[in-house]
């Protein structure tokens, strides 16, 4: 038996209307300035800005950044370690600190095991920790959150034992639980991704051999305890130093790239062929000796490209190379100039925050070592700048926010005899103040503006402020109204701040800092408004609206004729009756849910918010 009831949860309002608040949101500005025409949403562009960076990370505004493009960056020492084959570097959130933006730790593999250096959140590394039972000269590893608890776990390939191990992080940087992923001869490099698209993290590994190698993948059953090994190829590229993974052919699954005596990419066909044993197909990219590579969308066309650090056996000058992906997994070669002696490692990222992808490179250079970067002008024309011209036996590179200021830093390692791990601060300072003016939001009709709210990150010494203005004409605007916040809130009522019953709204945000090392960050702006017309109510004695059970009772003032309406939660009118004097309306046929009942007169209205329960 179904039961129906009607519970009154509303009261008479000072301005009676159907509550129909709407919201307009902006959380991306990378489309840039120049939007002059009104629009029914803010999109990804804006009207104008000064000293604001909107390209560094899409979905985040910061103050403009002053970069050391060709000057020597500031070097900070992390630690020393006995030499391994290649001193592979990684960055991750090993101790579940304040968050990956402000507490990236550094992981390095050497001949005496794998360490992670603990970041205090500001780039100081006074403590390091060993991963248990990780030893040997040929150690590969990758970092991934296997159990999705917010702390990075680590999978290790050990050449001496021929085993792949998974170490689960307890959230404090300790690894009390580890399990065998599998084994094969001469395990070297590993990569951890969801290769079969089933929601858990699998592992790919390579075999290290000077003349030949091989590759394998280990399917996770979802427990992180049981993995099934499949042979991709028992004989393949040897001496692979890196595995990088990404969707290279844009088909929705993860492929991977191996740098060896040549560069190869492996097409993932696990789902297409329904054959995990032969789930990857190898494609050759080039025949340069390349032990290091990187994946990134250099030309920002939506397809992942490959960047290789090429090596010549005779130490002749060899160019690092950008391989342009046409979107189908076909790659076109673009050597970078100038060439140098033996590029050791490469990464691609927008290092100068100007909206295009640059390439950072370390060079062996006869043991002298060199660190530099190729600046992209936006059309994939590259100019080389030298960071450091003597970084002896330079080896691996990584990029991450080590100092905790929201900006990218460079992490490097060296071969023996210089067994150093360092990070380099690449930026100079933030601008003191910047502002951005949004494009004009068009509500479509005159509305009541309710509130502006935003999500921000404001380190000590930084601030974010807002100004708002509204109008019925885009050619005539009043002065800006300042949104002065109290008690560290980020929501501000617009009720008495801006002109109401207006159609257009524009905001201006002002970011500032008193510390040139830090910026405030803006992530999202939201404005709520009500487009239902507001009508002043009659005195309580002139009309009456009450609810008992599933019946609405009304009383109409003498000599008046009114309209009784019922609206659903999205504002659709579902019942309308012309009424006079006194009477009632049965609601028992309506389904359960939230409704609004409104009684309208020639000079006023009265409303109730109600919930119908079965």
């Amino acid at each position: 038996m179904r039961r129906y009831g009607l519970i009154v949860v509303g009261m008479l309002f000072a301005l009676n209307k159907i509550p129909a608040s709407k919201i307009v949101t902006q959380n991306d500005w990378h489309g840039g300035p120049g939007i002059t025409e009104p629009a029914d949403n803010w999109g990804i562009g804006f009207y104008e800005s000064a000293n604001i960076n909107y390209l560094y990370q899409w979905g985040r505004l910061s103050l403009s950044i002053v970069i050391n493009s060709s000057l020597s960056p500031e070097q900070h020492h992390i630690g020393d370690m006995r030499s391994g084959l290649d001193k592979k570097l990684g960055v991750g959130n090993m101790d579940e600190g304040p968050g990956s933006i402000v507490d990236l730790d550094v992981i390095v593999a050497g001949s005496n095991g794998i360490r992670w250096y603990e970041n205090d959140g500001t780039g100081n590394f006074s403590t390091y920790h060993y991963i248990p039972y990780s030893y040997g000269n040929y150690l590969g590893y990758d970092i991934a959150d296997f159990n999705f608890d917010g702390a990075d776990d680590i999978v290790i390939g050990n050449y001496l034992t021929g085993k792949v191990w998974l170490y689960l992080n307890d959230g404090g940087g300790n690894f009390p639980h580890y399990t065998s992923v599998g084994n094969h001869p001469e395990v070297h490099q590993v990569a951890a991704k969801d290769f079969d698209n089933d929601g858990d993290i699998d592992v790919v590994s390579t075999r290290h051999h000077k003349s030949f190698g091989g590759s394998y993948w280990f399917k996770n059953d979802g427990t992180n305890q049981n993995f099934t090994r499949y042979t991709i190829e028992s004989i393949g590229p040897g001496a692979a130093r890196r595995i990088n993974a990404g969707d290279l052919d844009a088909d929705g699954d993860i492929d991977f790239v191996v740098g060896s005596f040549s560069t190869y990419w492996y097409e993932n066909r696990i789902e297409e062929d329904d054959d995990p044993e032969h789930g990857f197909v190898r494609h050759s990219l080039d025949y340069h000796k390349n032990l290091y590579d990187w994946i990134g969308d250099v030309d920002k066309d939506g397809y992942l490209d490959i960047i290789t650090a090429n090596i010549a056996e005779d130490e002749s000058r060899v160019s690092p190379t950008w391989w342009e992906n046409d979107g189908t997994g076909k790659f076109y070669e673009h050597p970078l100039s100038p060439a140098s002696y033996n590029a050791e490692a490469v990464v691609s990222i927008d290092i100068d925050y100007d909206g295009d992808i640059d390439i950072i490179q370390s060079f062996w250079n006869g043991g002298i070592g060199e660190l530099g970067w190729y600046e992209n002008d936006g059309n994939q024309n590259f100019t080389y700048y030298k960071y450091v011209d003597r970084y002896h036996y330079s080896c691996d590179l990584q990029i991450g926010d080590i100092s905790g200021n929201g900006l990218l830093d460079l992490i490097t390692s060296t071969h023996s005899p210089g067994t150093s791990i360092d990070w380099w601060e690449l930026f100079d300072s933030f601008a003191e103040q910047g502002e951005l003016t949004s494009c004009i939001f068009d509500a479509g009709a005159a509305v009541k503006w309710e509130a502006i709210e935003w999500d921000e990150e404001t380190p000590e010494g930084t601030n974010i402020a807002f100004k708002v203005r509204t109008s019925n004409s885009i050619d005539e605007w009043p002065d800006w109204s300042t949104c002065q916040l109290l008690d560290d809130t980020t929501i501000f009522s617009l009720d008495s701040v801006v002109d109401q019953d207006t159609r257009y709204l524009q905001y201006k945000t002002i970011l500032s800092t008193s510390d040139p090392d830090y910026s405030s960050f803006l992530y999202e702006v939201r404005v709520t408004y009500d487009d239902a017309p507001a009508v002043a109510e009659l005195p309580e004695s002139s009309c009456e609206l009450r609810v008992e059970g599933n019946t609405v009772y009304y009383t109409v003032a003498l000599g008046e004729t009114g309209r009784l309406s019922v609206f659903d939660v999205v504002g659709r009118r579902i019942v309308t009756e012309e009424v006079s004097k006194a009477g009632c309306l049965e609601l028992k046929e309506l389904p359960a849910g939230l409704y609004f009942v409104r009684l309208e007169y020639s000079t006023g209205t009265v409303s109730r918010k109600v919930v119908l329960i079965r």
Side-chain angles (χ1 to χ4, degrees):
M1 176 180 177
R2 293 181 178 177
R3 300 191 321 163
Y4 294 85
L6 201 63
I7 300 176
V8 178
V9 297
M11 300 294 292
L12 288 171
F13 304 113
L15 286 177
N16 282 290
K17 60 188 182 300
I18 301 303
S21 294
K22 295 185 177 180
I23 186 167
V24 57
T25 301
Q26 184 161 26
N27 52 27
D28 193 351
W29 297 264
H30 82 267
I35 310 299
T36 58
E37 296 299 318
D40 61 3
N41 64 81
W42 276 317
I44 61 172
F46 53 91
Y47 175 61
E48 63 181 4
S49 69
N51 290 331
I52 291 289
N53 192 292
Y54 52 89
L55 291 169
Y56 164 43
Q57 288 185 350
W58 294 1
R60 185 168 85 165
L61 290 182
S62 73
L63 289 164
S64 291
I65 304 158
V66 181
I67 298 296
N68 282 323
S69 61
S70 58
L71 302 177
S72 296
E74 184 177 355
Q75 181 179 5
H76 303 267
H77 189 57
I78 295 175
D80 298 298
M81 194 171 183
R82 284 178 57 191
S83 176
L85 176 69
D86 56 6
K87 284 290 186 57
K88 180 181 177 182
L89 288 169
V91 290
N93 184 18
M94 305 305 290
D95 53 356
E96 204 172 9
S100 61
I101 289 179
V102 296
D103 190 24
L104 278 179
D105 307 302
V106 173
I107 304 93
V108 61
S111 62
N112 53 352
I114 294 180
R115 291 177 182 174
W116 71 272
Y117 288 83
E118 185 175 348
N119 188 349
D120 70 355
T122 65
N124 295 312
F125 296 85
S126 58
T127 304
Y128 66 81
H129 311 267
Y130 274 107
I131 305 298
Y133 309 112
S134 64
Y135 57 88
N137 195 41
Y138 293 81
L139 287 173
Y141 69 88
D142 199 10
I143 303 164
D145 186 2
F146 276 78
N147 51 4
F148 307 107
D149 64 352
D152 285 325
D153 310 302
I154 186 166
V155 59
I156 296 174
N158 192 311
Y159 176 85
L160 292 180
T161 64
K163 291 185 178 295
V164 180
W165 296 94
L166 169 61
Y167 292 79
L168 294 178
N169 193 336
D170 67 358
N174 305 302
F175 298 85
H177 304 294
Y178 58 94
T179 187
S180 174
V181 173
N183 63 279
H184 63 76
E186 300 166 315
V187 176
H188 189 205
Q189 291 302 330
V190 293
K193 298 287 184 183
D194 183 8
F195 289 101
D196 55 359
N197 279 339
D198 64 352
D200 51 45
I201 305 298
D202 311 299
V203 178
V204 159
S205 67
T206 59
R207 179 183 181 184
H208 180 89
H209 192 282
K210 185 174 182 179
S211 300
F212 61 88
S215 53
Y216 307 82
W217 80 281
F218 298 86
K219 177 179 172 58
N220 190 344
D221 71 352
T223 67
N224 298 320
Q225 298 294 320
N226 300 300
F227 294 80
T228 302
R229 190 189 81 175
Y230 296 99
T231 301
I232 298 173
E233 54 185 7
S234 57
I235 298 178
R241 295 275 185 91
R242 288 292 181 274
I243 303 175
N244 282 292
D247 185 6
L248 292 167
D249 51 1
D251 63 350
D253 51 34
I254 302 298
D255 314 296
F256 68 93
V257 179
V258 170
S260 181
F261 294 105
S262 297
T263 301
Y264 305 92
W265 76 276
Y266 288 78
E267 178 187 358
N268 187 338
R269 296 197 57 82
I270 295 172
E271 290 187 298
E272 290 92 333
D273 297 342
D274 194 25
D275 181 7
E277 185 65 56
H278 303 91
F280 292 86
V281 177
R282 172 160 55 105
H283 302 274
S284 178
L285 203 65
D286 77 325
Y287 294 98
H288 298 298
K289 184 179 179 182
N290 165 49
L291 301 184
Y292 300 87
D293 50 57
W294 192 266
I295 293 176
D297 185 7
V298 173
D299 52 0
K300 299 180 72 172
D301 62 353
Y303 304 116
L304 291 175
D305 309 307
I306 298 173
I307 305 95
T308 59
N310 302 321
I311 299 174
E313 294 286 358
D314 60 358
E315 293 197 357
S316 60
R317 298 178 72 86
V318 179
S319 294
T321 303
W322 160 50
W323 296 86
E324 181 183 1
N325 188 348
D326 69 356
T328 67
K330 294 181 180 179
F331 294 86
Y332 300 91
E333 182 179 9
H334 301 277
L336 302 184
S337 179
S340 189
Y341 293 113
N342 287 359
E344 280 289 307
V346 60
V347 297
S348 64
I349 201 161
D350 182 10
I351 197 64
D352 56 354
Y353 314 103
D354 63 353
D356 47 51
I357 303 300
D358 312 298
I359 295 173
I360 306 174
Q361 191 91 47
S362 71
F363 298 95
W364 174 259
N365 204 12
I368 297 174
E370 183 177 311
L371 302 173
W373 67 294
Y374 293 86
E375 182 184 11
N376 189 344
D377 69 354
N379 295 308
Q380 289 62 253
N381 301 306
F382 293 89
T383 302
Y384 182 70
Y385 294 97
K386 188 181 297 185
Y387 275 139
V388 181
D389 61 0
R390 288 187 176 272
Y391 188 62
H392 293 291
Y393 303 98
S394 61
C395 183
D396 202 12
L397 296 175
Q398 280 291 337
I399 286 290
D401 177 15
I402 297 299
S403 59
N405 62 2
L407 297 175
L408 295 171
D409 305 301
L410 180 65
I411 308 102
T412 61
S413 66
T414 64
H415 286 293
S416 61
T419 59
S420 184
I421 303 107
D422 304 281
W423 72 272
W424 308 76
E425 197 166 9
L426 302 180
F427 95 110
D428 184 35
S429 64
F430 285 104
E432 291 184 7
Q433 180 170 306
E435 62 181 43
L436 178 144
T437 303
S438 74
C439 60
I440 300 168
F441 170 66
D442 181 1
V447 301
K448 181 183 186 305
W449 304 102
E450 295 180 334
I452 184 169
E453 183 178 9
W454 60 92
D455 298 334
E456 66 176 34
E457 181 183 340
T458 49
E460 186 175 354
T462 70
N463 185 59
I464 293 180
F466 271 82
K467 294 183 177 182
V468 181
R469 62 184 184 181
T470 61
S471 177
N472 276 314
S473 170
I474 62 172
D475 299 318
E476 297 179 7
W477 291 94
D479 293 336
W480 290 98
S481 299
T482 300
C483 302
Q484 183 65 47
L485 297 178
L486 301 174
D487 301 324
D488 295 324
T489 62
T490 56
I491 183 170
F492 188 84
S493 173
L494 298 176
D495 186 47
S496 58
V497 174
V498 298
D499 293 339
Q500 297 293 346
D501 298 319
T502 48
R503 176 172 176 171
Y504 303 107
L505 180 141
Q506 195 171 32
Y507 72 80
K508 177 185 291 188
T509 182
I510 300 99
L511 282 65
S512 60
T513 182
S514 59
D515 185 339
D517 290 337
Y518 292 93
S519 172
S520 47
F521 296 97
L522 178 66
Y523 295 93
E524 183 170 284
V525 181
R526 299 177 294 277
V527 170
T528 55
Y529 61 98
D530 193 338
D531 61 357
V535 183
E537 77 172 75
L538 286 176
E540 182 76 24
S541 58
S542 300
C543 56
E544 183 180 354
L545 189 62
R546 61 186 175 86
V547 176
E548 294 181 7
N550 56 15
T551 304
V552 176
Y553 294 91
Y554 56 86
T555 301
V556 178
L558 184 64
E560 285 276 4
T561 299
R563 182 170 66 171
L564 184 65
S565 303
V566 179
F567 298 82
D568 65 12
V569 70
V570 297
R572 292 174 299 193
R573 193 189 305 265
I574 56 177
V575 176
T576 302
E577 287 192 8
E578 298 295 324
V579 295
S580 61
K581 299 183 180 179
C584 64
L585 176 66
E586 297 287 342
L587 300 179
K588 62 183 180 181
E589 298 301 323
L590 295 179
L594 176 65
Y595 297 91
F596 305 95
V597 183
R598 184 167 70 186
L599 184 58
E600 297 174 272
Y601 300 87
S602 59
T603 56
T605 183
V606 61
S607 300
R608 299 283 185 182
K609 183 188 295 185
V610 295
V611 176
L612 183 65
I613 301 177
R614 292 178 180 173

